[in-house]
């Protein structure tokens, strides 16, 4: 089951009349004084923060481009063109790119929604246990949003309370990434204490204690604090809440959303309410008509590359569950070699309105991160590290990794395992950046010197620089 993402209530109150500047500075807040009064109002406000995760600038569109299309895993149909997707794919991004503009604006709108909850909840009349839970949810969501921003742009404005005027918005300048990570860690540590282990009924899909722990483990891994990453990820494992599903293919049907392997996924719900997902339409092969998807236009985005297809070992059962190498044209009856992902299939209510959730954290991700942390902490793979990766390989019907690998060889084995286990799910680019492998891997992919060190972060949207050139400066290497 999924809780309904009602984003019109609190967002219409807190975001009415936003300027383009950060989407943080509402010009008016009509009726706010009559809102945020009780548990019911606060739940609407918290749901507004969840709802922003489905926006085009977050998991509805931008994040799979940033996490997958940027990498060697996938590409877009317009690979040779000048559209925003192609610019990102080919490392030709200008600061005017629409994807990064949307990502910046929508993610900060989500942060504003979280800040509104945290700023107003103290004055609401409600049970303390529910108050704590709402605080935990808002802090988890704010941490997730800032984590996506800081990994993408580097230094970013750090705003932890409502921005109530345009003039106040101008005071928000970029802060060092280290400060942003400190806030993320603090938010997740508090969220972990306040969130429940699980939910029932219509609340299934909300942030949990395990989600906060798992994300915190990933944050520590990203910042290079391997000992803390190891400890936090081990807490997730020992929590006993999660397990790998027996069949990898069972992860993807919409009827099996929020399963026992899921730590956190973004909830989408079709039905003409504006809360459905567009992944099946977007990922179906361009020019396939109704041969793959029966409703709406197939956009040809997030297409598997030859490198990804070749990365699967012989006998890896994940390959046939993850991608198809082509389709049979329903007009000519001929096979068309045009690869596409199989992970996000559903019959849309209308075009771009399907039930597929977006998986943010899975237990397999936790196990592979744990193996990575152990390898770093111990200067090489231990039996426990091999066990963590081998249980993932066992489900894929692959032989276990043998003992005797060096630290470097085991790190590459984890990199490979993450590439095929988590393909299409938004992890690959950030994995390559985190491990220092982005430049060599991507230049190998392009078979030429295309990617440079400065490309490990994205350009700051030009719209932000234009309105606040003193506080918002451009990342090195980028121009218009």
């Amino acid at each position: 089951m999924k809780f309904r993402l009602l984003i019109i209530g609190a967002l219409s109150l807190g975001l009415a009349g936003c300027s383009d500047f950060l989407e943080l500075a509402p010009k008016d807040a009509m009726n706010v004084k009559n809102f945020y009064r009780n548990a019911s109002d606060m739940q609407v406000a918290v749901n507004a923060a969840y709802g922003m995760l489905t926006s085009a600038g977050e998991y509805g569109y931008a994040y799979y481009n940033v996490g997958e299309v940027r990498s060697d895993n996938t590409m877009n149909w317009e690979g040779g063109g000048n559209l925003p997707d192609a610019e990102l794919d080919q490392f030709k991004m200008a600061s005017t790119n629409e994807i990064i503009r949307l990502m910046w604006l929508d993610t900060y709108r989500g942060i504003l929604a979280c800040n509104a909850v945290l700023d107003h909840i103290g004055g609401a009349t409600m049970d303390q246990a529910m108050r704590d839970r709402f605080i935990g949810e808002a802090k988890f969501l704010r941490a997730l949003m800032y984590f996506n921003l800081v990994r993408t742009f580097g230094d970013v404005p750090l705003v932890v309370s409502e921005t109530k005027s345009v003039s106040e918005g101008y005071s928000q300048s970029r802060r060092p990434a280290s400060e942003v990570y400190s806030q993320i860690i603090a938010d997740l540590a508090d969220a972990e204490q306040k969130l429940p282990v699980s939910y029932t009924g219509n609340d299934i899909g909300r942030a949990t204690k395990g989600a906060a722990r798992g994300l915190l483990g990933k944050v520590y891994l990203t910042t290079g604090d391997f000992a803390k990453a190891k400890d936090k990820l081990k807490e997730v494992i020992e929590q006993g809440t999660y397990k790998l599903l027996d069949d990898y293919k069972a992860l993807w049907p919409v009827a099996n959303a929020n399963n026992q392997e899921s730590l956190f996924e973004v909830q989408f719900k079709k039905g003409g309410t504006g809360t459905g997902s567009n992944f099946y339409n977007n990922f179906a092969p361009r020019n396939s008509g109704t041969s793959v998807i029966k409703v709406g236009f197939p956009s040809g985005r997030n297409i598997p590359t030859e490198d990804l297809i070749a990365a699967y070992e012989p006998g890896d059962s994940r390959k046939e569950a993850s991608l198809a190498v082509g389709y049979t044209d329903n007009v000519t009856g001929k096979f068309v070699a045009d690869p596409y992902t199989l992970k996000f299939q559903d019959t849309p209510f209308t075009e771009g309105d399907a039930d597929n959730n977006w998986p943010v954290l899975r237990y397999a991700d936790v196990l592979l991160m744990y193996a990575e942390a152990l390898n770093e902490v111990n200067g090489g793979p231990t039996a426990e590290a091999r066990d963590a990766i081998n249980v993932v390989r066992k489900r894929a019907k692959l032989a276990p990794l043998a003992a005797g690998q060096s630290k470097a060889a085991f790190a590459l084995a984890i990199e490979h395992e993450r590439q095929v286990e988590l393909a299409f799910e938004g992890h690959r680019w950030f994995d390559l950046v985190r491990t220092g492998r982005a430049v060599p891997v991507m230049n190998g992919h392009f078979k030429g010197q295309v990617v440079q060190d400065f490309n490990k972060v994205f350009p700051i949207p030009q719209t932000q620089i234009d309105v606040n050139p003193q506080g918002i400066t451009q990342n090195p290497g980028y121009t218009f």
Side-chain angles (χ1 to χ4, degrees):
M1 301 180 70
K2 303 180 182 182
F3 62 93
R4 179 68 68 179
L5 296 172
L6 295 175
I7 57 178
I8 54 174
L11 283 179
S12 64
L13 291 167
L15 298 176
C18 289
S19 73
D20 196 46
F21 182 75
L22 291 182
E23 288 290 350
L24 289 173
K27 297 176 183 176
D28 60 78
M30 294 175 61
N31 299 320
V32 168
K33 65 181 181 181
N34 296 318
F35 199 67
Y36 305 116
R37 299 166 302 175
N38 51 43
S40 179
D41 289 350
M42 295 312 305
Q43 179 149 332
V44 172
V46 172
N47 284 0
Y50 279 105
M52 284 308 304
L53 295 177
T54 70
S55 65
E58 294 199 49
Y59 290 95
Y61 172 58
Y63 288 2
Y64 73 75
N65 276 287
V66 170
E68 287 292 330
V69 176
R70 184 71 160 184
S71 79
D72 57 334
N73 267 7
T74 71
M75 59 181 288
N76 281 315
W77 183 82
E78 303 96 341
N82 296 311
L83 296 177
D85 311 66
E87 292 174 0
L88 182 148
D89 188 8
Q90 298 295 315
F91 287 79
K92 298 176 180 177
M93 289 182 74
S95 60
T96 54
N97 184 276
E98 181 65 7
I99 294 172
I100 60 168
R101 188 189 76 84
L102 282 174
M103 181 178 178
W104 185 283
L105 294 180
D106 281 349
T107 306
Y108 272 111
R109 289 179 68 209
I111 289 167
L112 172 58
C114 296
N115 289 341
V117 171
L118 296 169
D119 282 2
H120 291 282
I121 197 166
T125 302
M126 60 193 305
D127 174 78
Q128 186 59 42
M130 184 63 73
R131 190 193 314 275
D132 284 346
R133 196 197 90 185
F134 286 160
I135 291 172
E137 290 181 81
K139 288 193 173 184
F140 171 84
L141 295 172
R142 184 170 71 179
L144 175 61
M145 293 172 189
Y146 267 123
F147 187 46
N148 289 327
L149 281 174
V150 74
R151 291 189 299 170
T152 302
F153 297 109
D155 300 347
V156 293
L158 180 59
V159 186
V160 293
S161 61
E162 278 188 290
T163 304
K164 298 176 181 178
S165 68
V166 173
S167 60
E168 186 181 349
Y170 280 110
S171 70
Q172 309 292 359
S173 59
R174 296 179 72 186
R175 305 304 304 161
S178 59
E179 289 186 22
V180 181
Y181 276 114
S182 293
Q183 183 65 51
I184 292 169
I185 290 167
D187 277 351
L188 289 173
D190 194 36
E192 179 188 345
Q193 297 304 312
K194 289 181 167 64
L195 289 172
V197 172
S198 62
Y199 298 91
T200 59
N202 289 331
D203 285 326
I204 291 174
R206 294 182 178 276
T208 63
K209 191 178 296 292
R213 284 174 173 165
L215 184 57
L216 186 51
K218 177 164 281 192
V219 170
Y220 283 138
L221 199 66
T222 301
T223 60
D225 196 335
F226 301 115
K228 287 184 179 178
K230 172 185 70 70
D231 292 343
K232 191 55 60 176
L233 294 166
K234 189 172 184 177
E235 287 180 29
V236 178
I237 295 168
E238 293 182 340
Q239 184 176 316
T241 307
Y242 309 102
K243 70 172 187 177
L244 297 184
L245 299 190
D246 293 336
D247 184 358
Y248 186 81
K249 191 177 292 186
L251 287 164
W252 310 114
V254 295
N256 207 16
N258 304 304
N259 56 65
Q260 201 167 357
E261 189 167 333
S262 172
L263 276 73
F264 186 73
E265 51 195 77
V266 178
Q267 309 293 306
F268 289 88
K269 183 65 177 176
K270 68 182 179 184
T273 60
T275 57
S277 59
N278 59 25
F279 309 127
Y280 197 18
N281 281 111
N282 277 352
F283 301 166
R286 184 71 70 92
N287 299 322
S288 62
T290 58
S291 298
V292 173
I293 190 167
K294 307 303 180 186
V295 179
F297 181 73
S299 296
R301 294 187 166 97
N302 211 21
I303 300 167
T305 62
E306 292 181 4
D307 286 359
L308 174 62
I309 295 170
Y312 289 91
E313 299 168 61
D316 190 333
S317 63
R318 293 171 295 196
K319 184 176 183 179
E320 65 177 16
S322 299
L323 63 89
V325 295
Y327 61 92
T328 300
D329 188 280
N330 60 8
V331 176
T332 66
K334 295 181 179 179
F335 180 78
V336 179
D338 195 351
Y340 62 99
T341 176
L342 297 175
K343 284 188 174 181
F344 301 92
Q345 297 190 69
D346 183 40
T347 301
F349 179 76
T350 57
E351 182 174 341
D353 185 10
D355 262 344
N356 311 100
N357 286 352
W358 189 267
V360 176
L361 272 173
R362 289 199 284 116
Y363 188 55
D365 187 3
V366 170
L367 291 171
L368 295 175
M369 289 192 292
Y370 185 55
E372 183 176 334
L374 285 170
N375 190 46
E376 293 291 340
V377 167
N378 294 295
T382 61
E384 189 176 12
R386 288 193 301 275
D387 287 346
I389 192 172
N390 282 337
V391 71
V392 177
R393 290 178 59 82
K394 181 179 180 180
R395 180 175 64 176
K397 298 179 172 54
L398 295 175
L401 296 181
Q405 287 182 306
S406 66
K407 177 185 175 183
F410 191 71
L412 290 177
I414 295 169
E415 178 184 298
H416 164 264
E417 207 64 40
R418 291 183 63 82
Q419 180 180 22
V420 292
E421 171 69 30
L422 303 170
F424 311 110
E425 298 175 47
H427 300 278
R428 176 65 171 172
W429 170 251
F430 296 119
D431 284 350
L432 293 175
V433 172
R434 183 185 72 247
T435 59
R437 295 265 297 150
V439 173
V441 168
M442 292 309 300
N443 283 332
H445 171 72
F446 286 117
K447 298 178 174 58
Q449 193 68 33
V450 175
V451 183
Q452 301 180 58
D453 278 338
F454 76 83
N455 294 127
K456 290 186 288 188
V457 292
F458 285 55
I460 302 298
Q462 190 63 41
T463 53
Q464 303 306 310
I465 298 171
D466 289 344
V467 297
N468 189 13
Q470 299 304 313
I472 310 292
T473 56
Q474 186 55 270
N475 280 324
Y478 291 106
T479 57
F480 277 100

